[in-house]
Amino acid sequence: MRPHVELIDAEDLIWHIAEFEHATGSAQQQNLCYDEEDGSVSARVKFTSDWQRPSGTHNALTEWYILEGEVTLGDQTLVAGDYWAAPKGVCAPAISVKKDTLILLFREYGDWQFEPSSVDKDFVREDQKLVVAHSSKMDWIDVESGSPMRFDLGGTPVPGLYIKMLYRDKKTGFYTRLIKAKPGWREHPLAHHPVFEEAYCLEGSFDYNYGKMWPGTYFFRPALVRHGDFTAGDEGTVWLLRCDGDLVDWYTDNAKVEMHGDPVNWGPDYPHTLEPVLLQPVRSRSIGAMDDPSYQ
């Protein structure tokens, strides 16, 4: 039960005490999108002191993307642009974080529970492993040859889009990737997907039917919600993007939603009344209203 969030700027959000068990040190988190039923969350976390936690297993697929600072995971040092993921039940090494480090935290299909341990849980599949990615050392792959999208089921690759795959579940197709659009990249029609899609803007800017994104802006869009008409800014754009399965584009031209009904006690003949509005997703104050709420 993640809400439809589109768009918010993380700078508009309040800080909460971070949800970490069995840790030493202090941290705060901004909840970008929170599932109050199962505890899934997408958050920005700031470590307000040096911080440590022993090896152990998480109660959810857990992913960290380092925005600023330094993280030591086992014997590996991670800096800005680096990433790690531990599927539920997979043992993650001991971790330490330097003060003022800022990360994106994603927790899927479970809450914050953590059990100190040195071994995987019995239910972990053979193919599920700890993943560490140093994205600055990875090559960008053009979308036409390296995309996880199922073009055989719908959609057309648009040249000028590039990816770095950070994580992919072989069984479910769930994936996390970096995606880069060249300056002025354009994809016109609105589209909908059979899976959820969420993104955090890391660099640059782009415009689309829900508004404008810049670094620090974010959306979480449930499956089958129409969106699109993308134009990347003059500097291009880079985002971190996640989907819970194979991504397929189903396009719509001339998209529009309308509200129908006969007014009963409101309208021009009833002073001081207001028209109803179309449903809109969660938006933060810096984003403002949609230019055209019917264009979705």
Side-chain angles (χ1 to χ4, degrees):
M1 188 197 72
R2 280 183 180 250
H4 182 192
V5 176
E6 197 157 22
L7 294 159
I8 61 171
D9 185 342
E11 293 299 323
D12 293 336
L13 305 183
I14 64 171
W15 292 95
H16 304 263
I17 297 173
E19 297 171 336
F20 291 125
E21 289 191 327
H22 302 287
T24 302
S26 58
Q28 299 177 321
Q29 72 184 53
Q30 293 169 309
N31 295 327
L32 304 173
C33 185
Y34 203 107
D35 187 324
E36 291 288 354
E37 290 184 330
D38 71 5
S40 298
V41 70
S42 301
R44 198 164 69 160
V45 177
K46 175 174 64 179
F47 294 87
T48 51
S49 74
D50 289 343
W51 184 96
Q52 301 84 33
R53 187 159 73 175
S55 64
T57 58
H58 301 86
N59 191 46
L61 166 62
T62 300
E63 305 170 77
W64 287 28
Y65 180 86
I66 292 85
L67 295 170
E68 302 173 9
E70 183 176 305
V71 173
T72 301
L73 181 69
D75 60 359
Q76 299 195 62
T77 299
L78 308 181
V79 295
D82 291 339
Y83 165 94
W84 69 268
K88 179 178 179 177
V90 169
C91 184
I95 188 169
S96 62
V97 182
K98 287 189 176 181
K99 180 182 178 181
D100 296 327
T101 292
L102 184 67
I103 68 166
L104 293 175
L105 167 69
F106 301 101
R107 192 176 64 219
E108 210 65 49
Y109 310 128
D111 61 17
W112 58 84
Q113 294 180 68
F114 176 87
E115 181 181 337
S117 175
S118 59
V119 296
D120 292 351
K121 292 289 189 180
D122 292 341
F123 57 77
V124 172
R125 304 193 314 262
E126 185 175 346
D127 65 290
Q128 291 181 304
K129 307 290 183 183
L130 177 77
V131 173
V132 178
H134 299 274
S135 70
S136 63
K137 300 177 182 178
M138 298 170 64
D139 293 329
W140 289 105
I141 302 172
D142 70 86
V143 70
E144 297 167 274
S145 58
S147 175
M149 292 184 66
R150 291 291 306 275
F151 294 122
D152 58 316
L153 300 178
T156 304
V158 181
L161 207 61
Y162 307 90
I163 69 169
K164 292 182 180 183
M165 188 65 73
L166 301 178
Y167 172 83
R168 187 165 178 85
D169 187 295
K170 294 180 180 179
K171 181 178 180 180
T172 67
F174 192 112
Y175 71 84
T176 300
R177 60 175 169 162
L178 297 178
I179 185 165
K180 178 175 72 170
K182 69 178 184 180
W185 179 82
R186 185 90 166 87
E187 186 179 37
H188 171 65
L190 298 195
H192 61 287
H193 314 304
V195 293
F196 79 56
E197 186 174 39
E198 71 172 328
Y200 181 95
C201 185
L202 297 168
E203 300 175 19
S205 65
F206 71 96
D207 292 273
Y208 72 129
N209 70 309
Y210 280 102
K212 185 180 182 67
M213 293 192 76
W214 56 83
T217 53
Y218 166 89
F219 67 76
F220 179 93
R221 185 186 311 116
L224 305 179
V225 174
R226 229 163 32 188
H227 61 284
D229 200 354
F230 295 108
T231 302
D234 292 340
E235 69 278 49
T237 188
V238 177
W239 348 304
L240 185 146
L241 186 143
R242 303 170 77 239
C243 290
D244 63 337
D246 291 330
L247 188 65
V248 181
D249 273 339
W250 295 313
Y251 297 128
T252 301
D253 281 328
N254 305 312
K256 186 179 181 64
V257 295
E258 297 178 339
M259 184 180 295
H260 296 278
D262 299 319
V264 176
N265 63 344
W266 63 272
D269 295 333
Y270 294 87
H272 312 300
T273 62
L274 301 173
E275 295 182 2
V277 299
L278 293 169
L279 290 174
Q280 293 189 47
V282 176
R283 298 171 71 85
S284 71
R285 61 176 176 266
S286 293
I287 302 299
M290 291 179 63
D291 287 341
D292 181 1
S294 71
Y295 186 36
Q296 57 177 299

